[in-house]
Amino acid sequence: MRHCAVTTRAEARLPDAVIMAQVGHIDPAMMRHYSHVRRQALNSAAAALEPCFMRQPSPPTVELVN
């Protein structure tokens, strides 16, 4: 339950200090131990990058010199 509690609060973007106070952690390493990145968060991060890879490259411009 502690893993779920810490991860859910972290996903809600609560400050680390608040999460640590609620669950009784003194060392930030303990919070990192109990916090996990969920598959949905990874999928959302990947989807945010999609527009970068879907753009068609612009054709190069050529200047004509007389």
Side-chain angles (χ1 to χ4, degrees):
M1 287 183 61
R2 188 169 288 218
H3 291 266
C4 181
V6 172
T7 299
T8 302
R9 286 171 173 83
E11 288 177 342
R13 299 178 190 256
L14 290 174
D16 291 353
V18 172
I19 298 170
M20 290 172 60
Q22 286 185 328
V23 297
H25 292 159
I26 296 171
D27 185 358
M30 287 302 294
M31 197 186 85
R32 287 191 302 273
H33 171 77
Y34 283 103
S35 180
H36 304 283
V37 178
R38 292 184 180 165
R39 172 54 49 195
Q40 182 178 359
L42 292 171
N43 291 345
S44 295
L49 290 174
E50 191 172 290
C52 295
F53 296 107
M54 298 304 290
R55 282 190 216 136
Q56 294 296 323
S58 301
T61 57
V62 178
E63 289 186 33
L64 298 175
V65 179
N66 291 340

